[in-house]
Amino acid sequence: MRMTKKNRLFALAAGCLCAVLGACQSATPAKRIAANPVLFNSLPEQHRTMVQQGLICQGMSQNAVLLAWGSPDNRATGQTREGRMYERWEYTAMQPVTTVHAGFGGWFGPGPYWYPYGGSGLDTTYIPRCAASVDFEDGQVARWMHNGR
């Protein structure tokens, strides 16, 4: 059976869609562990158990946090009141913000075909917000905040 040009274009579009959807899948601790088995096996047993569940605890290494939560969206360094240096990793999430807009409304159009103009409705915009942060001192988790990530 010979593929027509239309069928080839359809197959190409379907293949592209599958590739895009596959790339959009979010990474999970299991996928990160599978991609880094040597790193995972180098962690203490208690930390391996927590990483598999996507959890972190005080004293974890940066590598353990990478496996549990993934790469941070932002990194910053600072200094504590006691003069110790620390590194903060921040993870962001997109929060929907919905607003209402109102137009002037009305109708226009030729003959029996009438079209609305203006009008009102809802608009949704997504803004980034800090969902979690982790502070490291001497390469280990000193404190963290998790806000519904």
Side-chain angles (χ1 to χ4, degrees):
M1 182 175 147
R2 188 164 181 228
M3 284 186 93
T4 64
K5 185 175 180 180
K6 183 178 178 180
N7 287 345
R8 282 190 300 246
L9 287 174
F10 178 75
L12 179 63
C16 289
L17 179 63
C18 288
V20 168
L21 291 176
C24 291
Q25 291 181 358
S26 63
T28 63
K31 289 180 183 179
R32 289 188 289 270
I33 291 167
N36 301 288
V38 173
L39 184 63
F40 178 73
N41 290 326
S42 71
L43 300 175
E45 180 62 36
Q46 176 192 8
H47 292 178
R48 284 197 302 259
T49 303
M50 293 188 74
V51 164
Q52 288 173 323
Q53 299 170 19
L55 302 173
I56 66 170
C57 67
Q58 211 166 9
M60 266 189 174
S61 67
Q62 291 179 336
N63 289 333
V65 175
L66 279 173
L67 291 173
W69 283 7
S71 296
D73 297 307
N74 297 304
R75 295 178 191 221
T77 57
Q79 189 172 5
T80 65
R81 290 182 182 154
E82 297 80 27
R84 291 189 313 269
M85 296 301 294
Y86 73 93
E87 184 175 359
R88 175 171 289 167
W89 290 4
E90 292 183 348
Y91 296 84
T92 57
M94 300 304 282
Q95 178 176 345
V97 177
T98 303
T99 56
V100 179
H101 69 272
F104 48 86
W107 298 90
F108 73 94
Y113 304 104
W114 299 91
Y115 303 99
Y117 66 93
S120 60
L122 300 174
D123 288 324
T124 301
T125 304
Y126 292 86
I127 59 171
R129 67 172 176 85
C130 182
S133 67
V134 184
D135 290 346
F136 296 95
E137 292 180 15
D138 298 323
Q140 294 184 333
V141 175
R143 64 199 145 271
W144 73 96
M145 179 276 304
H146 191 279
N147 189 15
R149 185 177 194 289

